[in-house]
Amino acid sequence: MVRFGGVPMANESGHAEDPALERTFRGHRSGVTACAFNPNMKQLVSASSDNSLMIWNFKPSMRAYRFAGHADSVLSVAYSPQGECIASGSKDRTVRLWQPSTVGLYTPKVLKAHSGAVRNVRFSADGRNLVSASQDKTLKLWNVNSGKFMSTLSGHTNWVRSGDFSPNGRTVVSTSDDKTVRLWDAEKSVNLFSFDDFFSPTTCARFHPDGTAIATAGEDTAVQLWDVRSKKLVQHYDAAHGGSVNYVSFHPSGNFLLTCSNDNTVKVWDLREGQLFYTLNGHDGPATCCEFSQNGDYFATGGADMNVMVWKTNFDRVLGTYSPGSGNEGKVVTASSEKYAAKLAAEEPETTFAEPPLAPPLPKPSIPSRTTRRVSVAVSPPHAAQSNVVTPSPAPPATEPQMPSAPPMPAGTENASGVLPAQLASTLSHIVNQLDVLTRTMSLLEQRLQMNEDKTNKVVQIIGAAAARSDE
């Protein structure tokens, strides 16, 4: 098990705070399929099966805007890194580039090259290029400034669900219903490597912020992290959700991973510890998309319930210790407070474009470190918010081991009472936990090897039977 992250924060806090639901945007007429933050943190864009995009302004004086143009469901949306452009992909087989303005969006550039629905669009880190993934079994690269088609990435044998650029823009990762995840050379348009260790369609893949790993998810309910240099599996979360995992998003620090699923939940994973960190039950139906803001202070989720929810992260601002078996894993905190319930009750059902503003974003934090709690955050749907009561559990102790592992303890390290120092005890406990995870991973690999062996034997039997018939 490889651990990610590890850079302490400048502004440390002694205890963890739970994610807090800040806003719920309502206005789409069908399920929400994608969402993305404007890098300036003044707006949020969402896409929907109602054939439209909506831009939600966080200032109370500015209303939301609905933009039509696509002839079918909009399946994906993305803001350029500079916030100057919005890309959308649709079932109508087109990609559109929209230029935001203070009064709305100008007439978009319409990019036509795909022969199937466009499932996903993503910008490169410099904002110059765009990749689109389609049900025509290909990915296509576009120049954003000119809107011109650049090249096609061909090789998948079924629908392509997602595509993403590496941080340096040289590599593209893709997922497909052909049960593979592929790495591509963006400049040469050739397949570099194919991960084929999947037993169901893969739905989403994203590059780690440092470019050394990718996170993948699929219909088998599992989430994996792969090292792109060694091409090896480094973290595996079996049965991460109770249904198909629809989307994954890395926190900018690389310490946390956000996932959402058809089981109606959104989950936060602590990649430093290799553990589930939070479970959020906010959507009344499948959670279809999730995305961290560019500075990590907020994240947004969208669902089949037609709602877009904006959450304040909070948990990335602490420095603490997680001790396996300490009992922190079972804590449950309901996120809907009486204050928030009263605010929801005061809203009129149809006042979609005049909700209270999102709290001003905090200054960009330093890269966060590991936190202490394993908490399930339950949020009831808006119509039932008044019945919720906050039931917080006491915060666990916060002491932080400085290294992911520790060398053997030299003589004389015990204190006068013969008890190991708390820091070293916590580290050793973590090592034991990671060994347990490694054992489970090895067991999974053994199962896969056995399946491959069974398939091989079956093929040999078929060939032998065919050979016997030919001899006759």
Side-chain angles (χ1 to χ4, degrees), residues 13 28 62 97 127-128 167 184-185 189 200 206 229 255 295 297 318 346 354 376 404:
S13 174
H28 280 297
M62 300 185 68
L97 299 179
R128 296 180 180 178
W184 308 82
D185 186 314
S189 301
S200 67
R206 290 288 177 263
R229 299 160 298 185
N255 289 350
N295 60 11
D297 286 348
V318 297
S376 173

Side-chain angles (χ1 to χ4, degrees), residues 11 17 25 43 86 91 108 113 136 167 242 265 276 281 324 373 380 390 396 403 427 430 461 472:
N11 299 320
E17 292 186 38
F25 294 110
Q43 296 171 319
I86 296 173
K91 274 189 177 181
D136 64 8
T265 68
L276 174 64
N281 299 296
R373 307 169 107 190
S380 298
V390 179
M403 297 293 289
T427 301
H430 171 76
Q461 293 174 4
E472 295 175 357

Side-chain angles (χ1 to χ4, degrees), residues 235-309:
Q235 286 192 12
H236 177 84
Y237 302 96
D238 193 24
H241 282 273
S244 174
V245 183
N246 296 317
Y247 216 85
V248 299
S249 177
F250 278 104
H251 188 276
S253 68
N255 289 350
F256 306 101
L257 183 71
L258 192 65
T259 62
C260 62
S261 167
N262 284 347
D263 66 2
N264 304 2
T265 68
V266 176
K267 295 189 178 185
V268 181
W269 303 86
D270 185 343
L271 302 183
R272 299 191 64 195
E273 300 291 351
Q275 297 284 345
L276 174 64
F277 198 20
Y278 287 96
T279 297
L280 300 102
N281 299 296
H283 288 283
D284 187 16
T288 54
C289 58
C290 57
E291 194 79 39
F292 274 111
S293 64
Q294 281 74 2
N295 60 11
D297 286 348
Y298 295 88
F299 61 91
T301 62
D305 59 2
M306 301 181 285
N307 291 332
V308 180
M309 296 183 175

Side-chain angles (χ1 to χ4, degrees), residues 80-82 123-130 144 165-169:
S80 66
Q82 295 76 27
F123 285 95
S124 60
D126 58 11
R128 296 180 180 178
N129 299 324
L130 180 80
V144 174
F165 281 101
S166 61
N168 61 17

